[in-house]
Amino acid sequence: MAAVDFPSSRQFIDGEWVAARDGGTLDIVDPATQQVITDVARSGGADVDDAVAAARRASPGWAATSPSERGALIRRWADLILADVEALAAVEAQDVGKPLSGGRTNIYIAHDIVSYFAGAADKLTGVTLPTRSPDYLGYTVPEPHGVCAVVIPWNVPAVLMAANVAPALAAGNTVVLKPSEIAPLTPFALAELARRAGFPPGVLNVVAGGPDAGAALTSHPGVDHISFVGSTVTGRAIMTAAAQNLVPVKLELGGKSPNVLFADADLDTAIEAVVASITENAGQNCYAGSRLLVEASVHDEVVERVAAAMAAVKSGPWEADLDMGPLVSAAQFARVSGFLEDAPRQGARLVTGGAPTGDGWFVRPTVYDGVDAGMRVAREEVFGPVLAVQSFRDTAEATELMNATDFGLLACIWTNDISRALRLAKDVRSGQVAVNQFHDAGVIGFPFNMRKDSGFSRGGGYGALREYTQEKGVAIRLLAR
C-alpha cells in the first residue's frame, strides 16, 4: 500500500496534510475484524473554515486556468490512479469491507470517470442564440459556481468521489470534499495522488468528520454549490441548510430498485444478475436490486432458483476475495437486523437467510416471498443483502408495482418482448432504466438520474459538467460604425 500512503491523523487542506485544529482523530475500523486500521484527523468547524477559505483563495486562479490545462492535470490524476489500482483496491476493500475484486472494480470505474472528465474539460461550450435582426448578437457562457462542497457516503467512496469531484474540477470549480467518517481512506489516498499530479494548493481539499463537520460544510456561507450523496432524511436537512444561503444543491439519495422479470426472459442470465444486484457490496448500494417482481407463471421456479443462488453466496473478509463481505458498521448491522426481525412479523415468508450468523457484521443473503407493497421491507431502503419478492399477472400490474415506492432511481426490465420493454421504460417513474441487464453496463457517460425521494442529479454522466456550471447570457446590440 506504500504507493498511495498518506500521513495518519491528518486531513488535506490547501495542498498540505495537516492535523485537526483541536488535535482530534478518528479511528478507522476494518468491518470484517472490527479492528482499527489507522486513524485520520477528526475535522471540526474550524477545519471546515480553513478548507473553505483555501478553496476560495484558489478559486479565481483555477477558474481562469485554460480548460485544456485543467483537463491535462485531471488526466495526470487519472493516470496515477490507474498506475496504483491494486494498492487503491486494497484500501477501498478493507475500509468498506467488500471483497478485493469489488474494490478493484470500484477503482477502475473511478479511473474511467476521472479520465472521461479530463477529456470533457475543454469541450464545455455555450450557445449562440438567434436574433431578430443582424444588428444583435446573443450567446451564453458556462461559468463555474466557485467553491463546491461535496459530501459522500461510505459505500463506494472511490466512485462517488470521482463522479462528483472530477466534473466539478473540470468545470473550473474548487472543491471541499467530506467523505464519510466510516470509510475516508480511499478519498484521502486519491487526494494524495491529486497532489502528486500537480493540482494547485486549495483546488481540492478533503476533511473527515461526523455529522457536525458535514453540517458546518453544507451551511457554510463560503460555499457556492452543494453535492450530497446519502440518505433522503439527510438530503432534506441539507436542502434546508442550503436555503439559508440560497445555494444550489444536487442530491443523490436512496433507492428501492426493482428487477421486473417476465416469463419470456432469459432466466439464467436474469437470475444471476438479480442475485448480484443485491449481494454486491452486501446490498449497500443506493441502486441495489432490492425488489424482485416476478410474473406469476414462473414465480415458484424463479424464487427457488434465486434462493439457491443466494444460499450459495460465500462471505468473508476483504482479502479472502469471496462473493460478499460484511456490513460496514455496527450501526448498519443493527439497522439490517431490525428489518430481518420485522419482515416475518408483518407476514413476509422467509425463503433463505435471515438472522445474522457468526462473528463480525456479516449478514446472510436473505430472500422474503409473499411481500406486499405495505410492508417495510418493500417500501424502505434496507441497505443490506435482503431481497423482497412480489408477483404480478400482467404488464399493467407490473407497472403498478414498479411505481409503488417513494423512490425513483433504477428499474431493470427482463423480457424478450421489445414493445413491452419500451412501454415499461416509458411508464416507470424512475431516473434510470435498464433492459435485460442490471444498471448501465457497456454505456459510456450514462447519466445517474433519479426522481421522487431518490433526489435529483446527473452525477458521473454526460451532463454532469453542466451541473457544476451556471449559465451567463450575453446580449449585444451592434452599433453602426
Side-chain angles (χ1 to χ4, degrees):
M1 201 172 83
V4 292
D5 270 353
F6 55 88
S8 62
S9 309
R10 296 292 186 269
Q11 58 194 337
F12 188 67
I13 296 177
D14 207 14
E16 300 288 342
W17 292 100
V18 297
R21 287 288 195 108
D22 65 1
T25 59
L26 287 167
D27 286 340
I28 308 303
V29 175
D30 182 332
T33 65
Q34 301 176 25
Q35 300 299 308
V36 174
I37 304 169
T38 185
D39 63 17
V40 298
R42 186 188 63 220
S43 309
D47 304 292
V48 169
D49 287 342
D50 290 345
V52 172
R56 187 145 297 282
R57 285 192 300 270
S59 180
W62 184 245
T65 299
S66 158
S68 296
E69 186 176 342
R70 290 200 300 263
L73 279 171
I74 296 169
R75 174 72 64 191
R76 200 173 306 154
W77 187 27
D79 291 343
L80 291 176
I81 294 170
L82 189 60
D84 272 322
V85 165
E86 292 304 316
L88 290 165
V91 175
E92 178 101 340
Q94 184 177 24
D95 204 11
V96 178
K98 64 181 61 185
L100 179 60
S101 56
R104 186 181 298 114
T105 296
N106 287 355
I107 301 304
Y108 276 121
I109 294 172
H111 162 267
D112 290 352
I113 293 171
V114 174
S115 180
Y116 180 91
F117 289 109
D122 60 2
K123 313 299 188 298
L124 183 62
T125 62
V127 298
T128 302
L129 300 168
T131 58
R132 292 184 175 86
S133 82
D135 297 330
Y136 294 89
L137 174 65
Y139 62 92
T140 67
V141 181
E143 297 180 337
H145 288 285
V147 176
C148 292
V150 176
V151 181
I152 61 173
W154 42 261
N155 56 332
V156 281
V159 173
L160 292 172
M161 179 178 179
N164 289 280
V165 171
L169 295 180
N173 301 280
T174 55
V175 172
V176 179
L177 170 70
K178 196 206 86 67
S180 168
E181 68 276 17
I182 295 173
L185 297 185
T186 314
F188 276 132
L190 292 175
E192 170 61 16
L193 294 184
R195 185 190 69 81
R196 297 180 196 176
F199 284 97
V203 167
L204 174 61
N205 308 272
V206 184
V207 293
D212 290 348
L217 179 58
T218 54
S219 63
H220 202 287
V223 165
D224 302 302
H225 180 278
I226 299 170
S227 174
F228 171 74
V229 185
S231 72
T232 301
V233 170
T234 306
R236 288 193 173 102
I238 285 175
M239 282 194 72
T240 300
Q244 304 307 306
N245 296 323
L246 295 178
V247 173
V249 180
K250 85 177 192 72
L251 301 175
E252 299 178 24
L253 307 177
K256 197 69 182 173
S257 301
N259 278 286
V260 186
L261 186 54
F262 286 87
D264 68 339
D266 177 344
L267 295 186
D268 292 339
T269 301
I271 288 169
E272 182 180 359
V274 166
V275 173
S277 76
I278 192 59
T279 57
E280 197 278 323
N281 203 23
Q284 299 170 118
N285 293 314
C286 59
Y287 57 79
S290 55
R291 294 189 295 150
L292 175 58
L293 314 181
V294 189
E295 190 167 8
S297 62
V298 293
H299 169 271
D300 292 350
E301 176 190 354
V302 167
V303 170
E304 182 180 351
R305 292 178 61 181
V306 167
M310 293 276 273
V313 169
K314 296 181 176 63
S315 299
W318 69 274
E319 68 272 20
D321 202 17
L322 301 176
D323 303 317
M324 196 178 86
L327 300 177
V328 76
S329 66
Q332 189 61 21
F333 181 81
R335 173 181 171 80
V336 174
S337 298
F339 277 93
L340 296 178
E341 294 168 3
D342 194 52
R345 286 200 297 261
Q346 292 194 329
R349 179 176 70 87
L350 178 64
V351 182
T352 189
T357 59
D359 297 328
W361 297 318
F362 290 91
V363 171
R364 288 186 293 173
T366 299
V367 179
Y368 286 108
D369 194 14
V371 173
D372 67 50
M375 295 179 183
R376 285 185 66 220
V377 74
R379 292 184 294 106
E380 299 181 23
E381 187 176 40
V382 178
F383 231 59
V386 180
L387 182 63
V389 182
Q390 299 169 268
S391 68
F392 62 84
R393 293 180 300 275
D394 53 30
T395 301
E397 188 175 11
T399 303
E400 181 181 352
L401 288 174
M402 277 196 304
N403 290 327
T405 172
D406 292 333
F407 298 103
L409 178 51
L410 170 66
C412 301
I413 301 161
W414 299 86
T415 179
N416 282 324
D417 185 331
I418 188 62
S419 295
R420 173 192 284 149
L422 291 174
R423 187 179 300 112
L424 285 168
K426 172 178 165 296
D427 291 341
V428 66
R429 295 195 295 275
S430 177
Q432 303 166 58
V433 179
V435 177
N436 292 329
Q437 63 174 338
F438 184 76
H439 208 215
D440 60 348
V443 180
I444 298 171
F446 192 77
F448 205 77
N449 299 333
M450 53 210 66
R451 296 184 184 179
K452 301 193 287 185
D453 284 5
S454 292
F456 34 85
S457 166
R458 289 171 287 173
Y462 76 96
L465 212 58
R466 299 259 173 214
E467 200 160 39
Y468 283 100
T469 62
Q470 50 196 339
E471 186 178 67
K472 177 181 287 181
V474 180
I476 303 171
R477 181 183 177 192
L478 303 176
L479 302 178
R481 284 290 186 264

